[in-house]
Each structure stands twice: as structure tokens, then as C-alpha cells.
Amino acid sequence: MHAAFFLLLGASVARFLLRHPGEPRTPWVIALSIALALLYVLGPAVGATRTLPATEPLRHRLWLGLVVATWVVLVVLAPSFAWCAVPLFFTALRTLPPRAAVVLVALLTVFVVAAQLKLSTAFDPNLLLAPPAVAALATAVFVHMERQAQEQRALIDDLIRTRRELAATERREGTLAERQRLSMEIHDTLAQHLSSQQMLLQAADRTWESDPGTARAHVRTATDITARGLAEARRLVHDLAPPELENGAGLAEALRALDAGPGIEVRFHLEGAPVPLPDRAESALLRIAQGALANVREHSGARTAALTLSFLGDQVVLDIADDGAGFAEARPASSGRGHGLPAMRARVRQLGGTLTIESTPGEGTVLSAVIPLEPTR
């Protein structure tokens, strides 16, 4: 629209100079044309000035009034400048409120019709109908574009608001997931280590006078467990893999090194050809084995426990069996010390696997964790 305005203004000046050379009004026409061009150029600068909200519309309207007044004087002196009103239609629609803009467009249209009729040597219906048609078209196009712009702005605002809400939801879900992960990690590592230390130190306290050698052995074992607990605490801080799986150690080696505490023999069996497992799967199976052995130690009264790691092509299976007291049904997840089994189920479920428990009173318990593997190509 800026380019159209200057093109029409230049064409009007050229037409006037060609049609009316050497007339006394020529200097005025040229001076007013220059003034109108300067005022129009100053429009974006005035419009971009950021002042108080109450004074900014006043600046716009003052500028528009000066432009229209200069154009009116030009049209009185030279009616050929009338068609410069077309870009001014859009300027008025952009600057004024809708009703005031429509009134100004109608006045400008009447002035254009009068100027065109003044230039005409005979009555021409087109001169009476064309300017209103152009003004109506310009107004309709502007109103349509403005509605589309408002709808687009509303859509963008909705999208931004929705994106912020989604980001907040994702942050909340991430926080809850991280809390759950840390609770499972703490239960399966630090809490179990502390429980083992407590049992060993209590046993050492009971035998300190009667069997100092056994008591010192319990203290040394508790010291080793403390060292492993410290390594776990540091891993939790740094969010690293389990220390048993560091330095290239595989899952089988880590499971073979597990123990369930004094008085419980742990045996490990490996079946099938081992294949590389994802870090998450190795970590989950190791934590499940640690949690299961902790339950064997605390609740079963077993003397032996067997860990079996089986690679079955499309899945890996970890079985933990003991010869303890067993139970008729699993403890509810809401019980005070019942976080172990729900944590195991959550770990397996996150990897798309299943966890099953078979137990009979007096015949021990078997826990099986099955994790599917992606097919190799």
C-alpha cells in the first residue's frame, strides 16, 4: 500500500505537470505533493513511537488528519490527485476505530467522486459508481484480513497457552516419575544395605562377649556393605549405572556376586547364550534380584536361594527361588514394608515385561521377571 500511494502520487504530479505547464498554482501543487509525501513517510515513525497508551492514538489521529487535510487541498488545486485516496482508505481503517474509519472512507469517496466529475467534460456514470465500488472493495478486503488476523492471533495465543500447559504437565509427570524412580532405587539399594548392616551389627552385639571372632566377622561384613551403600549413594547423586555393572561387568557377573546375608547360600545359574542387553534392562534385573534377595533375607527364613538367568531368544527371564516359609498371598502394596514388590513390577512394566510370583506356605517362593528383547537382524 505504501508503494501504491507513492506510485499514484508520482503519477498525479506527472499528469498535472504535463497537462498544466507553467500555471501559477504549479509551485503550490509541487510543494503540497512534497509535503504529503513527507507526512506519509513520517507515518510509520509516528506510529512506531511508544508513549503512554492514552497519547498514542492521539498521535496517530493527528498524523492522519494532517495527511487528509494536505490531500484535500491538493485535490482542490488539482483533481487528478483524487485517486491517491485509495491507499488512504486502508490508512484510515488501520488508524481509526471501525465506525470512524468507515465515516472517513465515505467522506473521502464523496470527495473523489466530486473531483472526478469536475475533471470530466461530460457526465459519465462510471465516475459516479467506480469510486464507491473501489472504496467498498477496499473496506471489505481490510475487514476480512483483520478478522483473519484476529483469528490467527487467537489461535496462536491458544497454541502458546496449550504448549505451556503441556510443558507444565510434562514437568509434573517427569518429577513424579523421577520421584518414583528414586524411591525404588533407594528401597532396592540404600534401604536394603542399611537393613543388612542393622542385622549384622545386632548379631555382632549378641556374640561380642561369647564369640569375638564371629562378632568381628559380622562387623567386617557390615563394613563391606557400608562401602557398597556409599557407592550406591554416590551413584544416585550422579545418576549413573549400578556400580556392579560398571567397568564392563555384565549382568551375569553382577548376579553371581550377589549374596543374601549370613546363613543363606545363594546359587547362580546361567542358561542359554547371553546376548547384550540394554542398560535399562540390566539395571532393572539387577535391582529386582537385589530386592528379591532382601525379601528372602528378611521374610522367608530360607537357607538357600537360587538365581537363574535365562536367555530365550526373544526374551530374558530372571528367576529367584528360595526354600523358605512362603506365603499364601502377596502383601498389599499399601503395607508399611510392601514397597519391594510394587517397585519390581514397576521396573518390569516400564520395559514391557511381566512379573509373576508363585508361593506356597512351607514350600518356598519363586519370583520370575520376563523382559522381551528386540529381535536381532
Side-chain angles (χ1 to χ4, degrees):
M1 293 309 301
H2 295 334
F5 174 80
F6 287 108
L7 180 62
L8 291 172
L9 181 62
S12 299
V13 172
R15 183 181 185 279
F16 177 81
L17 293 178
L18 290 174
R19 294 290 183 90
H20 309 282
E23 289 193 6
R25 55 179 175 167
T26 300
W28 289 101
V29 171
I30 295 176
L32 289 172
S33 299
I34 295 174
L36 182 60
L38 291 176
L39 285 173
Y40 197 88
V41 169
L42 288 176
V46 173
T49 302
R50 292 298 177 189
T51 57
L52 294 176
T55 61
E56 189 170 350
L58 180 60
R59 288 175 176 268
H60 284 74
R61 294 168 188 177
L62 179 60
W63 166 78
L64 180 61
L66 291 174
V67 170
V68 171
T70 305
W71 172 80
V72 167
V73 176
L74 261 177
V75 173
V76 171
L77 294 176
S80 58
F81 284 86
W83 284 107
C84 293
V86 176
L88 294 181
F89 292 163
F90 288 97
T91 303
L93 292 169
R94 290 178 54 192
T95 305
L96 299 176
R99 291 184 179 179
V102 171
V103 172
L104 180 58
V105 168
L107 294 176
L108 293 177
T109 303
V110 171
F111 206 75
V112 170
V113 171
Q116 294 301 309
L117 292 176
K118 182 179 179 181
L119 286 175
S120 178
T121 56
F123 178 76
D124 187 351
N126 289 332
L127 298 180
L128 187 63
L129 299 177
V134 172
L137 179 62
T139 303
V141 169
F142 178 85
V143 170
H144 178 69
M145 292 174 59
E146 186 66 20
R147 288 177 179 175
Q148 284 188 329
Q150 291 177 356
E151 293 175 357
Q152 190 176 35
R153 284 193 294 268
L155 178 60
I156 292 174
D157 292 339
D158 290 340
L159 290 175
I160 293 175
R161 183 171 58 256
T162 303
R163 185 174 63 181
R164 290 174 179 171
E165 292 175 354
L166 288 175
T169 302
E170 291 176 356
R171 284 195 296 270
R172 287 194 297 269
E173 292 178 352
T175 300
L176 293 176
E178 184 65 12
R179 287 178 179 175
Q180 182 182 14
R181 185 189 72 83
L182 287 176
S183 68
M184 292 189 298
E185 292 283 340
I186 292 172
H187 176 273
D188 293 341
T189 57
L190 298 181
Q192 305 301 343
H193 289 321
L194 291 173
S195 177
S196 299
Q197 293 170 33
Q198 182 183 28
M199 294 175 60
L200 289 168
L201 293 176
Q202 288 174 348
D205 182 63
R206 288 193 299 267
T207 59
W208 192 263
E209 299 293 339
S210 60
D211 192 354
T214 301
R216 283 193 293 270
H218 288 328
V219 172
R220 286 194 295 270
T221 304
T223 302
D224 294 338
I225 295 176
T226 302
R228 292 200 296 270
L230 180 60
E232 289 288 351
R234 289 172 176 170
R235 185 195 63 80
L236 288 175
V237 172
H238 295 287
D239 196 25
L240 301 176
E244 295 87 351
L245 298 176
E246 292 181 350
N247 301 322
L251 177 61
E253 290 76 8
L255 292 175
R256 196 186 306 274
L258 293 179
D259 65 82
I264 302 177
E265 181 184 2
V266 179
R267 301 169 184 172
F268 174 74
H269 305 278
L270 178 63
E271 296 183 359
V275 297
L277 298 176
D279 293 340
R280 291 182 60 198
E282 288 189 344
S283 177
L285 291 175
L286 178 60
R287 293 306 184 212
I288 290 171
Q290 290 174 327
L293 291 179
N295 289 338
V296 170
R297 179 179 64 249
E298 295 186 19
H299 306 297
S300 71
R303 292 186 177 274
T304 61
L307 299 177
T308 303
L309 181 64
S310 305
F311 292 90
L312 305 179
D314 60 343
Q315 60 185 10
V316 58
V317 181
L318 175 65
D319 297 315
I320 303 99
D322 66 74
D323 59 356
F327 51 88
E329 59 182 6
R331 294 177 177 84
S334 59
S335 61
R337 296 175 61 85
H339 187 72
L341 292 179
M344 296 179 194
R345 289 193 176 93
R347 290 182 186 277
V348 174
R349 187 167 54 249
Q350 288 173 356
L351 296 171
T354 57
L355 182 76
T356 58
I357 302 173
E358 298 178 1
S359 182
T360 303
E363 298 183 8
T365 303
V366 178
L367 183 147
S368 297
V370 181
I371 295 178
L373 300 177
E374 294 183 359
T376 57
R377 297 182 179 179

